[in-house]
Every structure is written in C-alpha cells, then in structure tokens.
Amino acid sequence: MAILQLLMNDKLFLRDPQETDLGRKILQEGIAMIDELGFEKFTFKKLAVKIESTEASIYRYFENKHKLLVYLIAWYWNWLDYKIDYGTQNIDDPIQKLEIALRIVSEDKKRDYSFPQIDEEALYRIVKVESDKTYLTKQVDNDNKEGLFRGYKSLCTRIASYIKEYNPNYQHPNSLISTVLQAAHHQLFYAEHLPALTDLKCDENVHEQSKLFLTDMVLKTIKA
C-alpha cells in the first residue's frame, strides 16, 4: 500500500512533523496520549518521556500543546476532505455525492494505513471530545488569519458545493454543512455521555443512526 502525506498549512508547525522520524513519533504518541489522558492532562513533558526525547525537541516542531492539537484536528479535517474527494470522483449526481459525503462524515473511523503515523480511530475520539477547543479561544481571529482552520473550511465548502449544485436557490449551504459537521461529532458524544440531549442510542448501530439523522436533515432541508 502506498504511503501518502497530506499537505498541511506551514503555519501549523515550526518544523513539519511529517518529514522526520521524530516528528512522526510526536504525532503518533501525541495522539495516543491525548486520547488516553485528555488534552488538559497532556503535557510535552509527559510526551518527551514517552518518546524518550526532550521537551526542547518537541518545541522545535510545535510552539505549544494547543498548536499540536490544532494540527491534529486540522489533519483530521484534511483527511475527511481527501476521502470525500476520492469517494465522489466520476460521480455527477449531487445528491449521490452528498450521501457519500455524509456517510464518510458519520461512519466509525478505522485505521487508514496509507497514513501509518496517524491512528485515525484514536484521532476520531479526540475530535469528538476536544475539537471545539481549537477555536474557542481568545486567539481565534489571529489563528483564522493564519489559515489554521483552512482544512475545516475547505471540507465545508466542498460539501456545500454539492448543495449549491442540487439547489442553487438554497440560501444557507455553508451554515447547514458546518452545523452538520458539528452535529456528526456532538451527537455521538451526547449519546455516550449526555443521552438526554440526543435521540441516538449508544449501541453498535449508533453511526448508522447518525448517518440517517444527518442525511434526513440535509435532504429535507435543501429540497427544491
């Protein structure tokens, strides 16, 4: 299987972690530790011990742990965008493209060995719990100017374009899709931790329930 590399905004890092063995180890073990400990308890000091390196070496790649989290979440959105682009090639029907995109967004995530340094299953769990922390900050406007959320916006734009293609008169495609992307993760979190806030049942079919909910919401909303 070919090993792929996603193009990341160079404002997300001080040194590209995809280019060196140490950088890839920082990503791999950083994901594992954030998944295990939670972002608040995760530190570069703990990561340095895990990878048998130094805090200083990690700081050569990322300014702080928040920037590492932003990088990882941005990687996830870029990965989804890549998967949707690949999955909708040679398809002309906008509704079919929408259904494919919503399936990819809502399905349970499995390891993609085209990107061996990333555990997508663990990263998916991090996204459900921690992704809002990347932009609910005082520096969000500056981060946005630097393009740190470009991957998320690109994903929204791609899926919203299918809506515009199907119904050019629908006035809120970006609002709808950004809401859908949040719901795809929040509803699963609610099902597991705050069940009174969702109708999804936390069982083996929860991702199928999520897909049906999101597809129903989108298709009924944009109906011409």
Side-chain angles (χ1 to χ4, degrees), residues 81-82 84-85 88 153-162:
D81 196 27
Y82 155 79
I84 291 170
D85 181 42
T88 56
K153 291 190 284 187
S154 175
L155 176 62
C156 286
T157 298
R158 179 184 300 279
I159 304 175
S161 72
Y162 305 152

Side-chain angles (χ1 to χ4, degrees), residues 82-167:
Y82 155 79
K83 286 171 65 68
I84 291 170
D85 181 42
Y86 183 82
T88 56
Q89 287 181 5
N90 303 317
I91 294 176
D92 296 322
D93 181 9
I95 292 298
Q96 189 177 355
K97 288 189 285 189
L98 261 176
E99 291 174 340
I100 291 170
L102 294 173
R103 173 183 57 77
I104 290 172
V105 166
S106 58
E107 68 187 0
D108 197 12
K109 304 303 183 288
K110 303 298 183 183
R111 286 297 299 268
D112 183 345
Y113 289 100
S114 297
F115 306 94
Q117 76 276 18
I118 302 293
D119 181 347
E120 290 84 5
E121 294 181 40
L123 183 55
Y124 182 44
R125 291 191 292 269
I126 292 171
V127 169
K128 287 187 285 185
V129 176
E130 314 283 8
S131 60
D132 288 359
K133 296 170 187 173
T134 61
Y135 61 86
L136 294 179
T137 65
K138 289 291 186 180
Q139 70 265 23
V140 61
D141 292 330
N142 185 63
D143 287 351
N144 186 47
K145 287 177 183 177
E146 291 192 334
L148 303 193
F149 310 115
R150 190 179 300 156
Y152 183 56
K153 291 190 284 187
S154 175
L155 176 62
C156 286
T157 298
R158 179 184 300 279
I159 304 175
S161 72
Y162 305 152
I163 294 176
K164 294 176 183 177
E165 189 179 348
Y166 169 70
N167 182 1

Side-chain angles (χ1 to χ4, degrees), residues 152 156 173-184 186 214 217:
Y152 183 56
C156 286
N174 293 296
S175 299
L176 178 59
I177 293 306
S178 62
T179 299
V180 164
L181 289 176
Q182 291 298 308
H186 287 169
L214 297 177
M217 178 171 63

Side-chain angles (χ1 to χ4, degrees), residues 13-17 20-27 44-64 68:
F13 50 80
L14 300 175
R15 183 178 183 183
D16 190 347
T20 69
D21 289 339
L22 177 59
R24 290 186 287 270
K25 199 169 185 180
I26 289 170
L27 296 181
F44 279 179
K45 183 176 182 179
K46 293 175 182 176
L47 179 58
V49 172
K50 181 68 175 179
I51 65 176
E52 299 181 334
S53 186
T54 64
E55 287 183 76
S57 67
I58 301 172
Y59 280 110
R60 294 190 186 102
Y61 289 85
F62 294 100
E63 182 180 341
N64 51 51
L68 173 58

